[in-house]
Amino acid sequence: MKKIAIVGLSVLLSACVSGQYTTDVSSESYREDYKTAQVELPVTNEVAETTVDTPAVVAVETKPAVTIVPPSKKQQNAMPARYGYTIQVVAVGSQAKVDHFARNLPSNGEPVWENYKVVNGTKWYTVLYGDYATQADAKKAISRLPAEFKALKPFVKSIDAIKNSPYPTLNKLN
């Protein structure tokens, strides 16, 4: 067996050394040319220099900055409603109870809503209080509610989640 392996190896090596075996080697190269675009500089305020009688003093004038003003009443009416956060004070089973809780909530300009829904065949009215930009603002407002409402364990609720619920029926009460 060793002899066959030695003979086979020598035949294989002799085949590799023969001069009749040729290969073609080719290569390709690719060149990309990049063009540089002219970059425009940002627009800045122009500065004009004015000299005063004393040659050592130079006054610099700048153009006035843009003034930001709040939106007009017409613009405010055209703006879409902002969906923030509110406080769900209580959920009750009758319209009379909704009216009772809505009357007793602090009247400091915060909106009060009722939301009617049916859950598992039961009618529920929720009383919602306030409109806050963030959850943190709404949580702070809960701490400022009277003790009778804190005892009801109010919680923060997203107005967007209410509006996207299957049957939103938000009615503003004040």
Side-chain angles (χ1 to χ4, degrees):
M1 185 70 156
K2 288 183 184 180
K3 290 181 183 178
I4 295 174
I6 293 174
V7 173
L9 182 61
S10 60
V11 170
L12 183 64
L13 288 175
S14 64
C16 290
V17 212
S18 69
Q20 296 181 357
Y21 181 76
T22 58
T23 61
D24 292 331
V25 177
S26 64
S27 67
E28 292 183 27
S29 65
Y30 181 76
R31 178 179 170 181
E32 286 189 34
D33 292 327
Y34 294 100
K35 294 180 182 178
T36 56
Q38 190 173 22
V39 178
E40 294 182 25
L41 297 175
V43 179
T44 58
N45 287 343
E46 295 179 19
V47 177
E49 291 184 9
T50 320
T51 57
V52 186
D53 293 339
T54 311
V57 177
V58 176
V60 177
E61 280 184 38
T62 60
K63 291 184 179 181
V66 175
T67 307
I68 298 174
V69 295
S72 67
K73 292 284 184 190
K74 183 179 178 183
Q75 290 170 330
Q76 285 177 348
N77 292 337
M79 285 183 188
R82 175 179 59 84
Y83 300 126
Y85 296 90
T86 189
I87 300 168
Q88 180 172 325
V89 179
V90 67
V92 293
S94 71
Q95 185 66 45
K97 290 181 181 178
V98 168
D99 295 337
H100 168 75
F101 284 109
R103 277 193 306 270
N104 292 331
L105 279 167
S107 59
N108 56 359
E110 290 294 339
V112 177
W113 294 282
E114 72 171 339
N115 187 33
Y116 171 77
K117 57 186 168 183
V118 177
V119 179
N120 296 332
T122 306
K123 297 176 184 179
W124 288 100
Y125 296 89
T126 58
V127 178
L128 307 166
Y129 176 75
D131 181 15
Y132 306 97
T134 65
Q135 285 182 325
D137 292 342
K139 285 180 182 178
K140 287 178 190 174
I142 289 173
S143 67
R144 293 189 299 266
L145 286 174
E148 108 181 62
F149 292 107
K150 286 182 191 176
L152 299 172
K153 306 251 188 251
F155 59 92
V156 176
K157 197 162 188 179
S158 166
I159 294 174
D160 193 35
I162 296 168
K163 291 215 177 238
N164 290 328
S165 66
Y167 302 103
T169 55
L170 275 176
N171 297 319
K172 192 167 181 184
L173 299 177
N174 63 348

